[in-house]
Amino acid sequence: MTDLDRASLPASVSALAAPAAPAAPAAPAAPAADRLHFGIIALIAFLTLVDLFAAQAILPSLQKEFGVSRAAIGFAVNASTFGMAAAGLAVGIFGRSIDRRNGIWISLVLLAVPTALLSVAGHIGLFAVLRVAQGLCMATAFALTMAYLSEHFPPNRATAALAAYVTGNVASNLFGRILSAAVADFGGLSINFISFAVLNLMGAALAWATLERTQRMMPNQGMSAEKGSWQAVLVNGQLRYVFAIGFLLLFVFIGTYTYVNFQLVELGLSPMALGLVYLVFLPSLFTTPLGGMISRHLAPGPGIVLTLCAATLGLLALLSTSLILVLSGLALVAVGTFLAQALATAQVGRIADREKAAASGAYLAFYYAGGLLGSLVLGQIYDRFGWNLCVLALVAALASAMLLAARLRSDPAEKAIRNAYRNGQETALPNTDCRLHP
């Protein structure tokens, strides 16, 4: 592989796989190389998570296809979060022995199997089981990529790298839903799922071509495999706060964007129009990459609180019967929750220090468990008590997340870097090169 610093590097492949030069001094990061890195990271995220929420855009069509209640189809579609939570735990336990690159691309190849089988699922139970299988594959790739980025980027660039990954997640939410609605509208549900299986295989090829093979998940030589992961992670109070914040973030996100579909149908929108509604994620494509900038100017707690205040305002707008206000509210919820997710995932890598695989897996387990509970609990609230009470429950969840965020402590070194930025001393940041290895 050629070095990323060389002008002759092909832009098409191996952008994240270049080995670090062993003796060369670190040079300032090249913005063009960073854009290439982060663009590939975002594209991998897009192709990894595009299946997760795409089915939400066709929820009314799936409800009609299977002839079940709103709560039942909402739970079946979001059963993928159960698989994601389970996979997060598994990666945390066994992650030390898994090569990241191989784990990521193989997971995406396997993901294409249940995705394709959804095209022939004729029963709601089988549909839910296949969604769980999708979740297992997606979360394995997701957790391994999070740990890969945390280990391969220096701390001052890790937040930006993870924000790029979350940006790809945003893109998958937006374009995945639009694509799902369009393909299902013109080609039917079966063609829709086959199309997404092809995207999964494209993601596997990209990960195989661009990521570098690692040495058994960067094992820590100073700790035993038996004790190094879960004990170190679960006894850390700061990590527990971040895990709980992640739980509440997806609780709110799933609850909002699953059941708002039925509210929008009541406002007279067609299935194709439902897909276009998710253009409300478009602003998040531009705001989520700002997570790195926010982390340089605000401590993690205040940064997360600020972003969730915006999301709370968005939730309150969903109480309106005005389509414009509802769409504006959905945009604000997306901006706030995606930024909060970017900041929270960066804190996982920072706080965990050494046990990044276990911490990433545990975070995703809590994160997707929140999504699963959100789909179940909020569906019941919606069916029994209506949309307004459902929104108030979502607001209460975000308020709890903000209280937890207020208890996060700032790292002294990060505080010094933020003070330097406020004083215009950007050179206070450590020098880094544009290679993936620090």
Side-chain angles (χ1 to χ4, degrees), residues 45 51 76 133 166 185 202 214 311 322 349 373 409 417 432 435:
D51 301 278
V166 176
D185 195 34
M202 292 172 61
T214 57
S322 165
L373 190 64
R409 294 194 299 267
I417 291 174
T432 58
R435 294 182 294 270

Side-chain angles (χ1 to χ4, degrees), residues 31-110:
D34 270 355
R35 285 194 294 271
L36 177 62
H37 287 160
F38 298 157
I40 293 174
I41 290 167
L43 185 55
I44 291 174
F46 173 84
L47 296 170
T48 298
L49 299 169
V50 69
D51 301 278
L52 183 57
F53 298 116
Q56 289 184 353
I58 54 174
L59 209 57
S61 298
L62 290 170
Q63 182 193 15
K64 186 181 298 185
E65 176 75 16
F66 291 108
V68 294
S69 68
R70 290 177 297 191
I73 192 61
F75 183 76
V77 164
N78 292 308
S80 55
T81 57
F82 176 80
M84 298 194 84
L89 289 173
V91 170
I93 295 171
F94 303 110
R96 285 174 167 268
S97 62
I98 303 174
D99 175 271
R100 287 190 184 355
R101 172 178 172 269
N102 288 341
I104 293 166
W105 76 261
I106 291 172
S107 295
L108 294 178
V109 169
L110 294 176

